[in-house]
Amino acid sequence: MTFGARMLKTGIAVTLALYLSSWLNLAPSVIAAVAAIFAMQPSIYRSWRYFLDQLQTNTLGAVIAMLAGYFFSSEPIAVGLVCILVIMICLKLNMGDTIGLTLVTVVAVMEASGQWQFALNRFSLSIIGIISAFLINIFVIPPKPKQQLYGQIHGIFDQMSLLLRTSITDEMKENIFRDEKNKLEGDIRFLSDKYVLFEEEHKKLKRNSFNESRHLVVYKQMFHALEKGREVLETIEDHYFQSERISDTDQAFIDEIEMLTKFHEHILLKFDHKLKPNTTDALLTEESSDEFIKGTLKHYIEQDGKGSYRLAIVAASMYDYGLQLNRLNRLVDNNHRYDEDKVEPKLILGRWRSWLNKFRKR
C-alpha cells in the first residue's frame, strides 16, 4: 500500500476531532478520534451520504442505548443485546456501512447507565468526529475520481501492453511475468472501484450534462477495453503454448498483438488531443483483424482441429479485444467532433466581437 491523500486526511481529521473535543471540554476525546477514522470516505458524495446515514443511525442508536442503559444499566449482556438490535435496524434501513461507528456510540452511551448528560456527551463526541472527517475530505485535497481514473487507465495500459508484447515471445522471466500479471489484475479491480466513484459523483452531485455523460461512456469503454486486454493474457497463458503450431504461427500472433497494442495507445493519445481524430487506424485494424482470424480458422480446418482449437480460442479473444478498441476509437472520434462543434461557434463569435470593437473605435 502506498502513501496517499486519504491517509494524510485521516490523520488531519483525527487531529481536528481531538482539538474540537478539547475546545468544547468533551471527554473522552478518543471517541471523536475513532469516529473521524471511520468517517473518512474516498469521495465527496460518499462523505455526504455517510454523514447523513451516520446522523440517522447514531441518533437512533444513542436513543436506544440511553433507554437500555436506564432500565438495564451497563450490564455486559444488555450491551451485547442492544448491539444486536442496532445491527438489525441498520441492516433493515440498508445502512450497513454505518454499523461500526454506530456500535461505538451505543457502547459509549450505555456506559453512562441512563444518565442523559453523559449520554449526550458521548453522542456529541461521535458527531464531532464525523463532521471533522467530512470537512477535511471536502477542503483538504478533495477527491477527484475523474483525474485519478484517467491517470490509472494510462498506467494500467502501459503495464498491460508490456505483458501482451512479451507473452508470446516469452522474453520476460516467469516469476516477474507472474507477479506483474497479478499486479495488473489487482490494479484493474482497483480501477473498477474508481469508476464506480466517478459514476456516483456524476449522477449524484453534478448536473447530468450531455458533455459529462459522453465522458462517462468513454471512460467506461476504456475500462472495458483494458479488461478485454487482460482476458487476452489469460487465454494466451491457458491455451497458446499447449497448442500445435506451425513455424509462422508465433510471428503472426506477435504481429497482431503489436498492432492491437499500438492501436490502443493511439486511441489514448487521440483522447489526449495529441493525435488527429478520424485517422484510418480503425479501418486498418478491422481489416487486419479479419484476415488474422480467417488465417487462424483456416489453419484449424487444415489441421482437422487436432490441437489447434486452442489457437482459435486465443485468436477469438484477440479479435474481441480489437472489436472493443474499434468501439472506443469511434467514441473518442465522436467526442472530438462534439468538442469541435462547440469550439467553432465560440471562435466565430469571438471574431465578430473583435471586429465590432475595432469598428466602434473608428
Side-chain angles (χ1 to χ4, degrees):
M1 182 180 291
T2 57
F3 181 81
R6 190 176 175 187
M7 298 181 186
L8 176 64
K9 291 192 293 184
T10 300
I12 297 174
V14 168
T15 303
L16 178 61
L18 292 173
Y19 271 120
L20 288 176
S21 302
S22 176
W23 181 57
L24 295 173
N25 295 320
L26 297 175
S29 57
V30 66
I31 296 177
V34 171
I37 294 171
F38 274 100
M40 185 56 65
Q41 297 295 308
S43 72
I44 293 176
Y45 167 72
R46 289 197 177 180
S47 289
W48 174 244
R49 186 72 262 169
Y50 190 84
F51 172 74
L52 294 179
D53 290 348
Q54 281 289 0
L55 196 61
Q56 297 176 58
T57 56
N58 264 266
T59 303
L60 185 60
V63 171
I64 294 174
M66 189 174 68
L67 293 174
Y70 179 79
F71 289 105
F72 305 107
S73 186
S74 56
E75 291 294 327
I77 295 178
V79 175
L81 291 174
V82 171
C83 286
I84 294 172
L85 176 62
V86 170
I87 291 173
M88 293 172 60
I89 293 174
C90 289
L91 293 176
K92 191 67 176 179
L93 296 174
N94 293 322
M95 297 180 183
D97 293 339
T98 67
I99 290 175
L101 184 52
T102 302
L103 293 181
V104 172
T105 303
V106 167
V107 174
V109 170
M110 285 200 70
E111 185 186 4
S113 301
Q115 301 180 45
W116 69 270
Q117 297 95 336
F118 290 100
L120 181 61
N121 174 75
R122 303 298 193 267
F123 175 73
S124 300
L125 286 167
S126 296
I127 297 300
I128 287 172
I130 297 170
I131 293 175
S132 297
F134 178 65
L135 294 176
I136 294 299
N137 206 26
I138 292 177
F139 295 110
V140 178
I141 318 176
K144 297 179 179 179
K146 183 176 179 180
Q147 288 82 348
Q148 294 171 354
L149 181 72
Y150 188 57
Q152 289 170 1
I153 285 173
H154 270 282
I156 290 174
F157 167 72
D158 291 339
Q159 182 184 5
M160 186 186 74
S161 64
L162 175 63
L163 292 175
L164 282 171
R165 285 185 279 108
T166 58
S167 58
I168 293 178
T169 59
D170 201 23
E171 296 171 325
M172 189 178 292
K173 293 181 178 179
E174 292 184 4
N175 60 327
I176 301 297
F177 185 88
R178 184 172 57 253
D179 292 342
E180 289 295 321
K181 182 172 171 290
N182 292 334
K183 183 177 182 298
L184 175 67
E185 293 173 352
D187 289 343
I188 288 179
R189 287 194 296 270
F190 185 69
L191 182 68
S192 175
D193 296 335
K194 284 292 181 183
Y195 177 79
V196 171
L197 294 177
F198 174 49
E199 189 177 35
E200 283 181 350
E201 293 245 321
H202 166 69
K203 293 181 178 180
K204 304 296 184 179
L205 294 182
K206 298 180 179 179
R207 293 181 178 178
N208 196 17
S209 64
F210 180 66
N211 185 49
E212 287 293 332
S213 297
R214 282 187 305 104
H215 283 169
L216 191 67
V217 173
V218 173
Y219 282 122
K220 184 175 184 179
Q221 184 60 26
M222 283 183 178
F223 171 69
H224 194 48
L226 289 174
E227 282 191 316
K228 290 299 178 181
R230 184 194 59 79
E231 289 177 8
V232 172
L233 277 173
E234 292 287 347
T235 55
I236 290 174
E237 187 175 23
D238 293 340
H239 300 289
Y240 186 80
F241 295 102
Q242 293 82 3
S243 63
E244 296 181 4
R245 310 187 302 278
I246 59 176
S247 57
D248 296 335
T249 300
D250 286 350
Q251 191 59 48
F253 276 81
I254 290 171
D255 291 342
E256 181 68 11
I257 287 177
E258 187 68 30
M259 186 270 300
L260 288 171
T261 53
K262 182 180 179 181
F263 183 41
H264 198 162
E265 181 183 24
H266 280 198
I267 295 172
L268 295 179
L269 291 173
K270 190 189 302 183
F271 187 75
D272 278 340
H273 298 275
K274 295 179 180 178
L275 291 180
K276 296 178 181 178
N278 300 315
T279 61
T280 58
D281 287 347
L283 179 61
L284 293 174
T285 302
E286 289 176 357
E287 291 176 350
S288 59
S289 294
D290 290 343
E291 292 299 322
F292 172 73
I293 196 73
K294 287 178 183 177
T296 305
L297 293 176
K298 181 180 178 182
H299 173 68
Y300 174 78
I301 294 172
E302 290 175 352
Q303 295 292 322
D304 196 24
K306 295 179 180 179
S308 60
Y309 64 92
R310 289 179 177 267
L311 287 180
I313 295 174
V314 177
S317 178
M318 294 168 63
Y319 186 76
D320 191 20
Y321 177 38
L323 290 178
Q324 299 306 320
L325 290 179
N326 276 299
R327 183 170 187 267
L328 176 60
N329 185 64
R330 289 193 294 270
L331 290 173
V332 171
D333 280 339
N334 290 335
N335 184 67
H336 281 304
R337 279 196 294 269
Y338 179 80
D339 290 340
E340 290 173 358
D341 291 342
K342 288 180 65 179
V343 170
E344 188 64 26
K346 292 180 179 179
L347 292 175
I348 295 174
L349 183 60
R351 290 171 186 167
W352 272 101
R353 286 176 177 171
S354 177
W355 182 82
L356 287 173
N357 289 333
K358 291 180 180 179
F359 180 77
R360 288 171 182 170
K361 290 179 181 179
R362 293 179 183 175

